[in-house]
C-alpha cells in the first residue's frame, strides 16, 4: 500500500505584518492634529525667536517701555543718597580730580598737553559713558531674570534701556562739561556742533557693545567680575589721561601697536569730542579718516551686536 504524504502547507502571507508596516507609514505621514489646530488659529511656540524684521518691529513697539524703564532706573539709582541726582555730576568730576592729581601733577602729563584740564575732563566724561555701558550691560539680563521669565517682550529692551539710562546721564554731564570748558578758557565755536554726531555714533557703538556683552553675561555671569579689570586696561590704552599723539612721537612702538592705539574705538570717540570742544586740539592729532573709522565702529558694533543678541533670544531666562 502506498502512503501519500501531503506537502506541508505553504505559509500564509503575512498580511498582519504588511498591515503593521502600512499603519506605521500612515502614522508617520499623518499630520499632527495639535499642530494643525495651532496653525489654523495663528498660534506660535511660546518664547520662539521671531524673524529679524519682526523682532525689530517688536522692539520699536516697546520703545516707550525702554525709555520709561531707563528714566525710572536713573531716578532710583541715587534715591537713597543725600545728594541724590547730583552724583551723576560728582562721579566723573571726582574721577577727573583724581586723575589730574596722579597724571597731571605727579607724572607731569600736563606739560606735553595744552589745555590739559579741558583735555582730561573731556576724556573722563566720554570714557565714563562708554565704560559704564559695557560694564552694566553684562548684568542686564541676569539681574532681571524675574522680569524675563514673567513677561514676554524683546529681551534686547534690557541692554538698550541700560544704554538709554546712561545716555540720559551723559547729556546732563555734558551740560556740566560745557560750563567747565568755558571756565577754563574755551570759547564756543561752530566746531562744537560736531559733538552731536560724535554723541550719536558713540551711542550706537555702545548700544551694540551692550547687547553683545548682555548675551555673554547671560550665559557666563562670571564675566561681570572680570569686566572692571578689562575696562581699566582699555581706559589706559584710550588716552583718557594722556595724549596718544604725543606718546607716539617719543616712543618707537611697532606699527601694529601704533595703529591699534589710533584706531581704538574709545580713543576715536574721545579724540572727536576733544576736537569738537577744545580750541588747541587740532585736526593733525586725529587719526586718518577719523569720521569713517567712527562710523565703521558704530555700524560694526551696532549691527553685529544686535544680530548676535537676537540669535539667542529664545534662550534667555532658561536653564
Amino acid at each position: 500500500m502506498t502512503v501519500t504524504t501531503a506537502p506541508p502547507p505553504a505559509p500564509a502571507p503575512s498580511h498582519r505584518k504588511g498591515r503593521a508596516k502600512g499603519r506605521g507609514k500612515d502614522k508617520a505621514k499623518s499630520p499632527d492634529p495639535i499642530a494643525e489646530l495651532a496653525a489654523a488659529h495663528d498660534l506660535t511656540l511660546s518664547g520662539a525667536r521671531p524673524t529679524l524684521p519682526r523682532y525689530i518691529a517688536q522692539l520699536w513697539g516697546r520703545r516707550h517701555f525702554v525709555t520709561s524703564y531707563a528714566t525710572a532706573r536713573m531716578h532710583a539709582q541715587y534715591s537713597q543718597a543725600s545728594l541724590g541726582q547730583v552724583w551723576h555730576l560728582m562721579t566723573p568730576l571726582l574721577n577727573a580730580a583724581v586723575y589730574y592729581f596722579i597724571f597731571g601733577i605727579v607724572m607731569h602729563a600736563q606739560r606735553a598737553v595744552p589745555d590739559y584740564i579741558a583735555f582730561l575732563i573731556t576724556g573722563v566724561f566720554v570714557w565714563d559713558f562708554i565704560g559704564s555701558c559695557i560694564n552694566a550691560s553684562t548684568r542686564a539680563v541676569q539681574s532681571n531674570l524675574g522680569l524675563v521669565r514673567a513677561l514676554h517682550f524683546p529681551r534686547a529692551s534690557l541692554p538698550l534701556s541700560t544704554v538709554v539710562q546712561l545716555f540720559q546721564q551723559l547729556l546732563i554731564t555734558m551740560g556740566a562739561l560745557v560750563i567747565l570748558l568755558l571756565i577754563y578758557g574755551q570759547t564756543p565755536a561752530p566746531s562744537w556742533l560736531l559733538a552731536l554726531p560724535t554723541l550719536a555714533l558713540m551711542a550706537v557703538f555702545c548700544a551694540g557693545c551692550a547687547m553683545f556683552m548682555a548675551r555673554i553675561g547671560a550665559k557666563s555671569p562670571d564675566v561681570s567680575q572680570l569686566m572692571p579689570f578689562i575696562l581699566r586696561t582699555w581706559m589706559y590704552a584710550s588716552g583718557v589721561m594722556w595724549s596718544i599723539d604725543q606718546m607716539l612721537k617719543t616712543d618707537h612702538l611697532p606699527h601694529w601697536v601704533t595703529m591699534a592705539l589710533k584706531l581704538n574705538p574709545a580713543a576715536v570717540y574721545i579724540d572727536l569730542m576733544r576736537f569738537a570742544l577744545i580750541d588747541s586740539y587740532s585736526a593733525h592729532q586725529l587719526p586718518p579718516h577719523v569720521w569713517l573709522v567712527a562710523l565703521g565702529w558704530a555700524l560694526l558694533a551696532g549691527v553685529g551686536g544686535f544680530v548676535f543678541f537676537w540669535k539667542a533670544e529664545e534662550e534667555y531666562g532658561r536653564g
Side-chain angles (χ1 to χ4, degrees):
M1 181 171 68
T2 305
V3 179
T4 305
T5 305
S14 56
H15 297 296
R16 181 178 302 174
K17 186 176 182 181
R19 285 195 299 269
K21 289 183 179 179
R23 284 198 301 270
K25 292 180 180 179
D26 293 341
K27 185 176 181 180
K29 292 180 180 179
S30 62
D32 187 355
I34 298 179
E36 287 185 335
L37 183 63
H41 293 276
D42 294 328
L43 299 178
T44 58
L45 181 65
S46 176
R49 184 183 69 193
T51 62
L52 188 57
R54 183 174 177 81
Y55 189 68
I56 295 173
Q58 291 178 355
L59 192 59
W60 176 252
R62 303 297 195 283
R63 63 190 183 277
H64 300 298
F65 162 74
V66 172
T67 54
S68 300
Y69 187 51
T71 303
R73 289 177 59 183
M74 184 182 70
H75 290 303
Q77 184 175 2
Y78 297 112
S79 59
Q80 302 299 321
S82 300
L83 296 178
Q85 304 303 314
V86 177
W87 282 108
H88 292 312
L89 298 174
M90 293 297 296
T91 301
L93 287 175
L94 290 174
N95 285 333
V98 172
Y99 297 145
Y100 176 73
F101 175 74
I102 296 175
F103 292 92
I105 297 177
V106 177
M107 301 183 66
H108 307 292
Q110 60 181 339
R111 295 179 181 177
V113 180
D115 299 318
Y116 182 73
I117 294 180
F119 175 93
L120 177 63
I121 59 177
T122 303
V124 170
F125 278 45
V126 174
W127 170 257
D128 187 64
F129 171 68
I130 295 175
S132 297
C133 285
I134 296 174
N135 188 42
S137 63
T138 58
R139 301 181 298 273
V141 175
Q142 197 67 21
S143 61
N144 290 283
L145 283 180
L147 190 63
V148 170
R149 291 169 176 169
L151 300 174
H152 179 68
F153 63 96
R155 308 314 189 199
S157 303
L158 297 174
L160 288 179
S161 66
T162 299
V163 176
V164 171
Q165 172 195 349
L166 294 169
F167 190 75
Q168 291 174 341
Q169 297 177 16
L170 176 65
L171 294 179
I172 297 173
T173 57
M174 286 300 294
L177 175 61
V178 169
I179 296 173
L180 290 171
L181 292 175
L182 293 174
I183 292 173
Y184 287 104
Q186 304 303 309
T187 55
S191 63
W192 283 30
L193 295 176
L194 294 176
L196 298 178
T198 302
L199 286 173
L201 292 174
M202 186 169 58
V204 174
F205 171 78
C206 289
C209 291
M211 287 183 284
F212 184 87
M213 293 308 304
R215 174 176 173 177
I216 294 178
K219 296 299 180 183
S220 304
D222 291 340
V223 172
S224 62
Q225 305 300 321
L226 295 175
M227 285 312 298
F229 304 98
I230 297 173
L231 290 173
R232 191 175 302 122
T233 304
W234 190 9
M235 179 185 69
Y236 290 137
S238 300
V240 175
M241 297 79 63
W242 48 277
S243 172
I244 294 178
D245 187 64
Q246 292 293 331
M247 187 271 294
L248 294 177
K249 290 180 180 178
T250 56
D251 294 342
H252 301 286
L253 298 175
H255 179 69
W256 69 270
V257 176
T258 300
M259 295 305 299
L261 289 173
K262 287 186 175 181
L263 300 180
N264 173 3
V268 167
Y269 295 121
I270 291 173
D271 284 343
L272 283 175
M273 193 64 71
R274 286 169 174 163
F275 174 71
L277 300 177
I278 301 175
D279 300 338
S280 60
Y281 204 88
S282 56
H284 79 272
Q285 295 174 266
L286 299 173
H289 312 293
V290 63
W291 286 105
L292 289 177
V293 173
L295 177 62
W297 277 120
L299 292 177
L300 178 64
V303 176
F306 184 80
V307 173
F308 181 74
F309 185 89
W310 162 74
K311 283 185 173 293
E313 175 71 12
E314 58 193 0
E315 301 174 11
Y316 300 122
R318 298 185 178 183

